[in-house]
DNA sequence: AGATCAAATATAGCTAGCCATGAACATAGA
DNA sequence: TCTATGTTCATGGCTAGCTATATTTGATCT
């Protein structure tokens, strides 16, 4: 037994999954923000672009699902994107609570550059990994995510 | 060549490293916040606990290093922790700009419970992975982080 | 000593998350 | 029909990040 000076030994932070994942996420977000700033958008808006890039309008509720964020988070993200002229809302005639959301012409114009910037960062991060490790990392993350979402 | 309907094909989100890492990080933070709320702290404060748990006071600058966040982020985190009575500052006699930061008695009292809560969540996330996959995941994250920090 | 540069912290202002609550509308049941 | 319940979105208030800038103090160089 060790009853001396250090009462609680935490794992060193490099061995804490939570710490490392948080760190990686912040680095990613920062890279994305840097790369996307010239085009007037930020990392939190990417899932919306992902979802609307094919031209099919979606309701806010669908975007919530796809981005896996809370409804209120998406509401604010969309408000900012609308403020910045990146999306448009057209009322749903069948349900007056809801609206169809689509990319604005401005946003569509910028899509190629945005896609290129995102691809570049993904490439950079994959470069740090050996080829098949990329797939492995994704698989491990998927398992962690499942573990954390299932057991509510 | 494919020149039809869908102008830009993004990767499906489950294959985007940025998306998956961000998602996992949010799930982790949420778990931590839920588990720590009863003890009056939140996930962003954990690195500070990590760093101060052994009783040695540190300067804010050291905590910035250890948590790998920006100075302003740490400043605000510490302000909240001080507001909530979790840390104390004692002025550095050698440098009047700086102060030594240490856990308050209240915080030290809560350390065992906090350590247990954090360990429980780590255990849960590791459970979703086969034994050595845990180490592998950490190693892959380390590589991604290096890749993103090196190439500024 | 005085001026200049560097270091430590604070502050302002923004995005992105979260939770909790409210408002408007839709739907189902009595 | 009307009432109750559920859905969709908005809003307020919080933490955690970031950038950029200011403030104070230390360190250095003439």
């Amino acid at each position: 037994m060790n009853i001396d000076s250090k009462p609680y030994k935490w794992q060193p932070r490099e061995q804490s999954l939570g710490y490392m994942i948080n760190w990686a996420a912040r680095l990613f977000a920062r890279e994305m923000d840097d790369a996307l700033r010239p085009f007037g958008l930020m990392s939190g808006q990417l899932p919306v672009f992902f979802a609307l890039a094919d031209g099919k309008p979606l309701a806010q509720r669908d975007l919530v699902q796809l981005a896996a964020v809370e409804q209120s988070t998406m509401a604010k993200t969309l408000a900012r994107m609308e403020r910045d002229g990146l999306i448009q809302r057209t009322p749903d005639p069948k349900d007056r609570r809801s609206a169809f959301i689509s990319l604005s012409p401005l946003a569509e114009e910028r899509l190629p550059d945005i896609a290129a910037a995102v691809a570049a960062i993904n490439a950079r991060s994959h470069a740090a990994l050996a080829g098949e490790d990329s797939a492995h990392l994704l698989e491990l993350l998927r398992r962690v995510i499942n573990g954390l979402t299932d057991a509510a």
Side-chain angles (χ1 to χ4, degrees), chain A:
Chain A
M1 295 298 203
N2 181 349
I3 52 173
D4 60 20
S5 55
K6 310 199 173 181
Y8 303 102
K9 4 182 131 39
W10 307 80
Q11 287 179 328
R13 65 195 197 291
E14 306 82 12
Q15 285 170 35
S16 158
L17 208 45
Y19 179 84
M20 293 296 278
I21 287 184
N22 172 272
W23 193 3
R26 287 186 289 115
L27 289 171
F28 253 103
R30 189 160 11 171
E31 289 296 314
M32 285 294 176
D33 286 344
D34 286 351
L36 296 176
R37 191 166 300 120
F39 309 116
L41 68 148
M42 300 195 72
S43 57
Q45 309 175 353
L46 273 182
V48 177
F49 270 82
F50 266 75
L52 298 178
D54 70 353
K56 285 206 214 314
L58 294 175
Q60 188 181 118
R61 130 188 47 96
D62 303 318
L63 295 171
V64 165
Q65 269 296 354
L66 292 168
V69 295
E70 291 302 312
Q71 175 266 323
S72 59
T73 299
M74 183 54 69
K76 271 205 265 187
T77 296
L78 292 175
R80 280 189 291 264
M81 293 181 76
E82 189 173 30
R83 178 200 64 190
D84 297 342
L86 296 171
I87 58 166
Q88 296 165 339
R89 315 197 199 211
T90 69
D92 179 345
K94 308 270 188 176
D95 186 339
R96 293 200 325 235
R97 294 168 300 183
S98 189
F100 291 116
I101 298 169
S102 53
L103 293 183
S104 70
L106 172 67
E108 295 202 328
E109 208 174 275
R110 294 182 181 164
L111 260 180
D113 290 332
I114 293 167
V118 169
I121 293 177
N122 278 333
R124 256 191 56 202
S125 63
H126 281 279
L129 304 168
E132 67 178 25
D133 279 345
S134 268
H136 197 180
L137 175 51
L138 287 171
E139 171 56 25
L140 293 174
L141 286 172
R142 201 163 5 248
R143 272 195 245 161
V144 169
I145 288 169
N146 282 341
L148 290 174
T149 46
D150 289 358

